[in-house]
Amino acid sequence: MELLKDLRAMYMLVLWDLSQMKRRTVFVVMRVAWFALQVTVFGLAMNAIVRFRGVVAQGIDYYHFYLFGVYASMLFSISVSKAYDVAEEFEEGMIEYLLSLPMKRKILSLGRSIGGGLSAFLFTLPMYAVVVLLLGVYDPVAVLLSLLSALVFAVGVTGFVISVVLSLKSSDYTDIFFGVLDALIIRLSTVFYPAVVVAKIAPYYYAALVNPVSHFVDLLRTFFFFEEFKHLSVSSPYLMASYILGFAAGVSSAAIYIVEKRVEGGGWK
């Protein structure tokens, strides 16, 4: 009975996050428009430039590489934007209301992480469909594995975001921290540059190696074009998949610990 009660509470929290999707419709429409511009105008221009300079090895289609990079960066940014929603909920008193409800705090943390990750995943589904359409590859196994990886990655990023926001407990610090983080994490990854290229700059390379965005985007590439991209990835597909799973489990555990041990009502700046 206790398990059913916990599952029902988690289900209600997930529904709560999904019901908030309509509040972000304008934000997502702007993101989708920017995505369409990137994969058409900028993507084709970048592909022409890279081929001309020969930066990427022969036989590699940089446009395919670029499409996955843009999608991964969009999923990461939309997942990170959950920070601003949580900060707003704090200011509205919603977080304190949730903390006062008769539910375990670990359920509250897990429910919000899964709900936030699921909503970010659903928001980016139109972008994912555009990528698959432009690739012209409809391998059901690759599609299923990539979607599952995207969902796990989004839940992990959302769990990390919730942990940090509840620790900072400040709207100003939240805006600054996640604005900088979003910019740095995307750029210090293999979203737009292959690992073999960034390896020429040691600090950049080691930052990309520990960056979860690098493992996620390279895993997507190898799902669809294994032979083409296997030598450009930060690691083997099994290690990259393990890294994403470990990342999601680790940050979710951290979120549970923070909500259970460190979050108290009040004190929001």
Side-chain angles (χ1 to χ4, degrees):
M1 291 299 292
E2 189 69 20
L3 177 61
L4 290 177
K5 183 180 177 181
D6 291 343
L7 290 176
R8 176 174 172 75
M10 188 180 299
Y11 174 69
M12 297 304 293
L13 288 167
V14 171
L15 286 184
W16 159 258
D17 270 304
L18 295 180
S19 70
Q20 302 305 303
M21 290 176 65
K22 58 184 178 184
R23 297 174 57 183
R24 305 170 68 195
T25 302
V26 175
F27 167 79
V28 174
V29 168
M30 292 174 62
R31 287 285 184 173
V32 171
W34 177 241
F35 175 82
L37 186 65
Q38 280 190 284
V39 299
T40 53
V41 179
F42 298 142
L44 294 174
M46 287 285 292
N47 191 43
I49 293 171
V50 170
R51 283 182 177 179
F52 177 75
R53 293 181 176 177
V55 175
V56 180
Q58 291 185 351
I60 300 298
D61 190 326
Y62 184 74
Y63 190 57
H64 292 170
F65 185 91
Y66 182 83
L67 287 177
F68 288 112
V70 176
Y71 169 72
S73 66
M74 286 292 176
L75 179 59
F76 178 76
S77 295
I78 291 178
S79 300
V80 165
S81 70
K82 186 66 181 174
Y84 308 112
D85 292 344
V86 175
E88 187 176 339
E89 290 176 8
F90 244 122
E91 293 179 339
E92 294 173 347
M94 179 56 67
I95 295 297
E96 292 193 13
Y97 168 71
L98 292 176
L99 289 171
S100 70
L101 294 177
M103 71 172 73
K104 297 175 182 174
R105 290 197 168 190
K106 65 180 179 182
I107 298 299
L108 171 60
S109 176
L110 278 176
R112 296 305 306 273
S113 297
I114 294 173
L118 183 58
S119 63
F121 170 77
L122 293 176
F123 270 133
T124 59
L125 271 184
M127 304 178 200
Y128 178 88
V130 171
V131 168
V132 172
L133 184 65
L134 291 173
L135 292 173
V137 178
Y138 308 103
D139 181 350
V141 176
V143 170
L144 180 62
L145 290 176
S146 58
L147 287 176
L148 182 60
S149 300
L151 179 58
V152 172
F153 177 73
V155 170
V157 173
T158 306
F160 169 75
V161 162
I162 291 174
S163 303
V164 175
V165 174
L166 296 185
S167 299
L168 293 175
K169 300 184 77 173
S170 166
S171 299
D172 293 337
Y173 291 157
T174 295
D175 291 343
I176 295 170
F177 180 83
F178 284 105
V180 173
L181 181 76
D182 191 13
L184 283 180
I185 291 294
I186 293 298
R187 284 157 184 78
L188 296 177
S189 71
T190 57
V191 161
F192 298 121
Y193 313 107
V196 293
V197 173
V198 301
K200 298 175 181 177
I201 307 173
Y204 197 133
Y205 179 64
Y206 291 118
L209 281 183
V210 298
N211 191 331
V213 176
S214 298
H215 291 265
F216 170 61
V217 68
D218 282 350
L219 185 61
L220 294 186
R221 288 165 179 146
T222 54
F223 279 150
F224 284 88
F225 301 102
F226 178 76
E227 292 298 332
E228 189 176 4
F229 291 121
K230 65 180 180 181
H231 298 302
L232 302 180
S233 303
V234 291
S235 187
S236 71
Y238 292 113
L239 287 178
M240 290 189 290
S242 300
Y243 189 99
I244 295 301
L245 286 174
F247 167 73
V251 294
S252 296
S253 299
I256 291 173
Y257 174 80
I258 290 171
V259 173
E260 281 191 323
K261 304 295 184 183
R262 301 184 58 182
V263 175
E264 299 294 340
W268 184 255
K269 302 175 184 177

